[in-house]
């Protein structure tokens, strides 16, 4: 092959011309891979096709892959017809994705050619006779021709119809003419679908017309292969087919990239609502399976949706047409976008798919989609749909789509079926009926006329769809061009609407890109360890309604690749899509300053629809370039002679190479030489090129698996290798996901260790856990023997449960019963909680809110993760090897021992952090709790004669007051999920002789998650002891499991906010002792407490945690102010009871009330008085509350109410001015130091801007 033939390939319109069909040498070979049924008539079976010819032999940058091309040109193999069948030519396209992600497109026209080989006709006759002999026993003996489904839908009694139907698949050599399919294919580097379709259609017309074409077919094929260049960017090109010129255009580098597949058709097939939902699934990288009888529909929908992704690109398996021999590929445990051809009449329910937990199933022919459970909606979905619909309506397309899913269409279908049976036709309508059928689709009026005609016995003639039958061919052509222009305009306008959404959503993405590497080499080598996008800050900048979608989307591979491309653009040529996107954002910034409405979720429509359509119109109306006309070639005489209906054997020598004197060929030649020189130069400068290429590939394929199955080789070894890649990919994904979950959760510690982002938001955590659930479903679906239910993991668990429960009935299971009670320093007894996989399953099965298996599996994963038992449970599940072998094939991930061990180890690392992913998601379920009160045993008053009660509050609600049996001090109760527990109220009614009670703490456990909270008390409850309190509000802390349990559980997340460690609260009176904090420590404590409250309010609302802890906890505001007020306080009295800070507050109130009665009308006094009044009002309200909360409790309440109502900075000066201060405080007291008091007031004023809401347990019984 000459150098020009291949050397100019990058600039050629088409790379190859291919002919596929029957090889008369090898004859009929059944295609076992297609899994066809030998029950079927031989005319309906599939036979192997071959590539009969391809030109040129090879192209250097796009080597010819014979097996792949053959498989995709004829995905079902050869098909046979007789003269009674419909033999209309069919067009479809396909694409091949290479390892580096680049694509080539194939465009195929399949037509039927008469079989002239006697051998093949005889073979078919023999096969038919054998089949007939086997099945002549019964009429219906599983008549498996393509009309099966139609037959079964007819009346069962209509045996004669079935008999006739059965005859349709018959073949008799003496009577019938046999036809076989042949495919003509063009392979091109860019998707010029319309132009290729026209070229192939004209080629077929030349073969089937009575007159030979103007020139031999070789001339036209040679012309398109070697003499038609690609149109330059931003230009249009005219070249010549056999009969008519063909025009194609290519967008300029600043426009959206080329997309020639009709979006009009996609919207008609799916409707806007469905399309937006499928589009969202694609963005979130779920598994998308398209399903249709028509290959071209599969391709149109797949390409249509992926072109709408701009500026992002699908990064995973992409096979719009999955050949029958590759069905095992649906087992792929990775995100994919695949198209599956539906057999005629196959019901969706009969379709066995290996995994459906994360599947979006798109039944194109029936206008129906099945979505995965609980996936987030696209931002501004409603307005988005309205904007798309408005564009569609301008072009007369109904937004709901126009597929024959209406009642009228269903009736019409049955009408057509009736025709088929009566006419002994074989699943295909004759030409005129087809014309009526096409015209009637969606046209109810005409459909009624047709039905009427049918009933009255009138035959309907050919319906002219274009008005007068004498419309000139020329007008037809103009109309066709007009329609093409409309389609192109619609395409670009709809794409602009989609592109505009992303431009607004990601207008500021650059601000969050982290550029940490100095050069490309260091970036590529450390790519996996680097954070290159500040996700937390990006999300905190987005409008609330966008978050559910965006938090998922920024975790996808397509977003990661987009950011990688952005970072690499500092060292390399910017990726084309990114360049266009960035220039749009730049333009948007120039036109409207976007800063003020950054967080606004207002919908902004695209403003450049007209402008973008004009550039396409101009290119199509005014042709920029015209290619060389086809011309006579130097051919051998007598070859390639014309025979109607047969595609000739082409002369190979004239098609093997192109001409040597091509202007544009030499132009690309010099350009290519320049490129080569530059490349060599950069090789000398930079890295060793092979090494660099390896890094590049690794960096780009990070987290990706195969883009497309190897179509060329389907040996068991290759299939095994593919599966091995999947196993490795799953393990790598698990490692990365668990690492990310850990790093994000570890918070500040991780940042100090150099791991990137500091704060994980609850939203992000949820997203990461959802993606872990998805990964686990994919792992459990890999290599399944038989699929049961939609969730492979839950199905496995159920079978395990069934086996274990049978064993339990025969013998008592010794699973981890553990010690019966757990002791504490004070002899505390909390019943031991049994750890059991089955028990956790039962918890999930009892949750009525979860309705599906997928939901149950996710719930179980969340519960196990929260209990730090996920790895342990799964190890136990997989230890039943007999069950695993029964459920999984040998190559399945779960049967690869080493990988499985590593997988469990990665999950075990998640035990080092605390998750509340079950508690925080299932907020409305009923949960059993157990509360135990632990008195201090060392003192005699361990038991009280009074009647104790307890109440528990959490972030989601409170339990109310519950009486406790006095001698048991333990209670189990059930109430709606309280969330993380924050406070417990404990008290008694002061009855009986032993009414004083010294309580160490209260323990409360969530019996489902096992989380145990300790509420330290360490104070008396009783009149005349301590501060006279009969009830106390205790602040809780989550207990770390003891050391005798699993070591891995010891580690623990650092507190998300500096919440109290809550050692037992020290009685204020004991502060006078050794541990008395000094003035500096007290001021520091106040600063810290106020700081924590400010930080709390600067977090997004959903992630704030408990404010009660920050107010009343060990390092909270109340505790800090207690220390402040206690500094220099003359509290201990000889022979008298202790004096409390509350005593000072009450005396101050009495003083204010007294001065209030002294008449003084000065202005300053007026405001002083009103402040005094408010203060007295609050103190009185606390004193007259029916609750017996004691003096320290009252002080706590005053501080909380003062903080809530922003009154503390007003009250402190009042107390400082009060003359009593000199009697009750030493000279050195902080309260008597004006400078310190002023800084305290300033600190308290910083809390004023926040709206503080107090927990109901704190303010119960207070009326102000």
């Amino acid at each position: 092959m000459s150098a020009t033939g291949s050397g100019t390939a990058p600039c050629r319109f088409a790379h190859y011309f291919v002919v596929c069909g029957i090889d008369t040498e090898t004859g009929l070979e059944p295609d076992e891979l297609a899994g066809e049924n030998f029950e079927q008539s031989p005319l309906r079976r599939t036979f192997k096709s071959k590539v009969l010819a391809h030109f040129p032999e090879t192209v250097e940058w796009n080597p010819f892959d014979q097996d792949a091309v053959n498989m995709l040109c004829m995905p079902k193999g050869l098909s046979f017809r007789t003269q009674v069948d419909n033999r209309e030519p069919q067009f479809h396209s396909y694409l091949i994705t290479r390892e580096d992600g680049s694509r080539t497109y194939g465009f195929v026209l399949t037509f039927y050619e008469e079989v002239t080989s006697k051998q093949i006709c005889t073979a078919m006759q023999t096969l038919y006779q054998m089949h007939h002999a086997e099945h002549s026993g019964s009429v219906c003996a599983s008549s498996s021709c393509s009309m099966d489904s139609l037959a079964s839908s007819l009346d069962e009694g209509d045996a004669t119809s079935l008999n006739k139907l059965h005859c349709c698949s018959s073949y008799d050599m003496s009577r019938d003419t046999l036809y076989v399919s042949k495919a003509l294919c063009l392979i091109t580097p860019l998707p010029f679908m319309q132009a290729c379709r026209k070229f192939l259609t004209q080629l077929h017309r030349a073969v089937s017309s009575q007159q030979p074409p103007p020139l031999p077919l070789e001339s036209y094929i040679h012309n398109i292969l070697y003499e038609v260049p690609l149109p330059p960017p931003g230009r249009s090109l005219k070249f010549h087919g056999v009969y008519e010129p063909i025009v194609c255009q290519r967008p300029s580098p600043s426009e959206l990239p080329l997309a020639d597949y009709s979006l009009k058709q996609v919207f008609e097939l799916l409707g806007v609502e469905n399309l937006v939902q499928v589009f969202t699934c694609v963005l979130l990288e779920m598994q998308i399976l398209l399903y249709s009888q028509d290959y071209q529909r599969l391709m149109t929908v797949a390409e249509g949706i992926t072109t709408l992704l701009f500026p992002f690109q699908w990064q995973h398996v992409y096979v719009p047409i999955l050949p029958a021999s590759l069905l095992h590929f649906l087992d792929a445990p990775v995100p994919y976008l695949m198209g599956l051809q539906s057999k005629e009449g196959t019901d969706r329910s009969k379709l066995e798919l290996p995994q459906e937990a994360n599947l979006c199933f798109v039944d194109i022919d029936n206008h129906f989609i099945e979505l995965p459970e609980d996936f987030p909606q696209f931002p501004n979905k409603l307005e988005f749909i309205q904007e798309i619909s408005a564009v569609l309506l301008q072009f007369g397309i109904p937004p709901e789509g126009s597929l024959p899913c209406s009642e009228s269409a269903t009736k019409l279908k049955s009408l057509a079926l009736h025709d088929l049976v009566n006419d002994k036709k074989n699943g295909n309508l004759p030409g005129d009926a087809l014309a009526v059928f096409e015209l009637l689709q969606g046209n109810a009026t005409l459909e009624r006329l047709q039905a009427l005609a049918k009933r009255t016995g009138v035959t309907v003639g050919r319906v002219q769809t274009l008005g007068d039958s004498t419309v000139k061919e020329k007008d037809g052509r103009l109309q066709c061009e007009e329609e093409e222009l409309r389609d192109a305009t619609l395409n670009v306008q709809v794409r602009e609407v989609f592109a505009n959404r992303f431009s607004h959503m990601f207008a500021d993405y650059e601000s969050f890109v982290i550029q940490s590497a100095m050069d490309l080499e260091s970036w590529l080598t450390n790519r996996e360890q680097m954070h290159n996008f500040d996700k937390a800050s990006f999300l905190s900048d987005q409008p609330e309604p966008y978050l559910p979608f965006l938090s998922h989307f920024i975790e996808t591979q397509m977003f990661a690749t987009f950011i990688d491309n952005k970072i690499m653009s500092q060292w390399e040529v910017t990726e084309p899509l990114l360049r266009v996107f960035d220039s749009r954002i730049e333009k948007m910034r120039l036109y409207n300053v976007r800063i003020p409405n950054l967080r606004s979720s207002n919908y902004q429509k695209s403003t450049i629809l007209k402008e973008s359509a004009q550039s396409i119109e101009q290119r199509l109306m005014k042709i920029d370039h015209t290619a060389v006309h086809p011309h006579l070639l130097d051919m051998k005489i007598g070859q390639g002679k014309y025979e109607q209906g047969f595609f000739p054997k082409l002369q190979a020598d004239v098609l093997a190479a192109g001409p040597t004197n091509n202007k544009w060929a030499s132009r690309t030649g010099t350009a290519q030489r320049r490129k080569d020189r530059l490349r060599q130069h950069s090789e000398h400068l930079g890295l060793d090129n092979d090494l660099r290429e390896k890094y590049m590939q690794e960096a780009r394929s990070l987290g990706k698996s195969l883009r497309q199955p190897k179509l060329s080789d389907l040996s068991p070894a290759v299939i095994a290798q593919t599966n091995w890649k999947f196993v490795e990919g799953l393990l790598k994904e698990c490692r990365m996901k668990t690492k990310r979950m850990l790093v994000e959760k570890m918070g500040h510690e991780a940042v100090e260790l150099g791991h990137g982002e500091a704060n994980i938001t609850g939203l992000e955590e949820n997203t990461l856990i959802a993606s872990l659930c998805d990964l686990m479903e994919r792992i459990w679906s890999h290599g399944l023997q038989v699929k049961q239910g939609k969730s492979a993991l839950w199905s496995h668990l159920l079978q395990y449960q069934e086996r274990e429960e049978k064993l339990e009935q025969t013998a008592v299971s010794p699973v981890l019963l553990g010690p019966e009670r757990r002791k504490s320093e004070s002899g505390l007894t909390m019943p031991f909680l049994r750890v059991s996989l089955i028990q956790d399953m039962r918890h999930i099965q009892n949750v009525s809110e979860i309705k599906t298996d997928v939901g149950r599996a996710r719930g179980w994963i969340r519960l196990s993760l929260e209990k730090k038992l996920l790895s342990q449970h799964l190890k136990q599940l997989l230890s039943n090897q007999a069950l695993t072998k029964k459920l999984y094939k040998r190559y399945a991930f779960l049967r690869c021992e080493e990988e499985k061990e590593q997988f469990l180890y990665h999950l075990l690392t998640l035990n080092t952090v605390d998750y509340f992913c079950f508690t925080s998601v299932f907020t409305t379920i009923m949960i059993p709790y157990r509360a135990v009160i632990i008195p201090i045993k060392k003192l005699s008053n361990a038991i009280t004669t009074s009647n104790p009660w307890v109440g528990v509050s959490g972030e989601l609600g409170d339990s109310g007051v519950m009486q406790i049996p006095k001698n048991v001090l333990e209670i189990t109760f059930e109430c709606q999920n309280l969330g993380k527990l924050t406070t417990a109220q404990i008290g008694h009614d002061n009855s009986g002789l032993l009414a004083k009670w010294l309580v160490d703490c209260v323990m409360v456990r969530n019996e489902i998650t096992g989380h145990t909270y300790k509420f330290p008390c360490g104070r008396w409850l009783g009149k005349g002891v301590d501060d006279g309190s009969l009830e106390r509000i205790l602040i809780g802390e989550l207990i770390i499991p003891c050391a005798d349990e699993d070591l891995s559980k010891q580690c623990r997340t650092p507190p998300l906010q500096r919440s109290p460690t809550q050692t037992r609260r020290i009685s204020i009176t004991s502060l006078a002792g050794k541990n008395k904090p000094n003035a500096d420590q007290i001021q520091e404590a106040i600063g810290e407490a106020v700081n924590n409250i400010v930080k709390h309010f600067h977090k997004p609302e959903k992630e704030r945690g408990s404010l009660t802890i920050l107010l009343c906890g060990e390092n909270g505001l109340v505790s800090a102010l207690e220390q402040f007020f206690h500094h220099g306080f003359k509290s201990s009295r000889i022979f008298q009871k202790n004096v409390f800070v509350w005593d000072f507050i009450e005396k101050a109130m009495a003083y204010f009330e007294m001065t209030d009665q002294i008449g003084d009308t000065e202005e300053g006094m007026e405001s002083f008085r009103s402040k005094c009044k408010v203060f007295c009002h609050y103190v009185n309200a606390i004193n007259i509350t029916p609750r017996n909360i004691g003096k320290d409790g009252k002080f706590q309440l005053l501080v909380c109410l003062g903080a809530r109502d922003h009154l503390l900075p007003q009250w402190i000066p009042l107390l400082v001015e009060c003359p009593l201060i000199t009697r009750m405080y030493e000279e050195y007291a902080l309260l008597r130091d004006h400078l310190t008091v002023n800084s305290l007031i300033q600190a308290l004023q910083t809390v004023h801007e926040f709206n503080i809401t107090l927990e109901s347990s704190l303010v119960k019984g207070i009326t102000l």
Side-chain angles (χ1 to χ4, degrees), residues 904-921:
L904 292 172
Y905 167 74
H906 290 315
L907 291 181
L908 185 64
T909 61
L910 295 176
N911 288 6
T912 54
V913 292
D914 298 331
Y915 281 103
F916 288 87
C917 49
F918 178 82
T919 308
S920 59
V921 167

Side-chain angles (χ1 to χ4, degrees), residues 85 193 321 378 584 639 733 751 762 816 843 849 931 940 987 1085 1196 1212 1221:
D85 297 325
M193 199 261 300
I321 296 173
F378 193 72
R584 284 169 168 244
Q639 277 198 357
E733 200 180 334
V751 174
L816 279 176
H843 285 317
E849 283 84 345
S940 55
Q1196 173 171 294
I1212 286 168
I1221 197 162

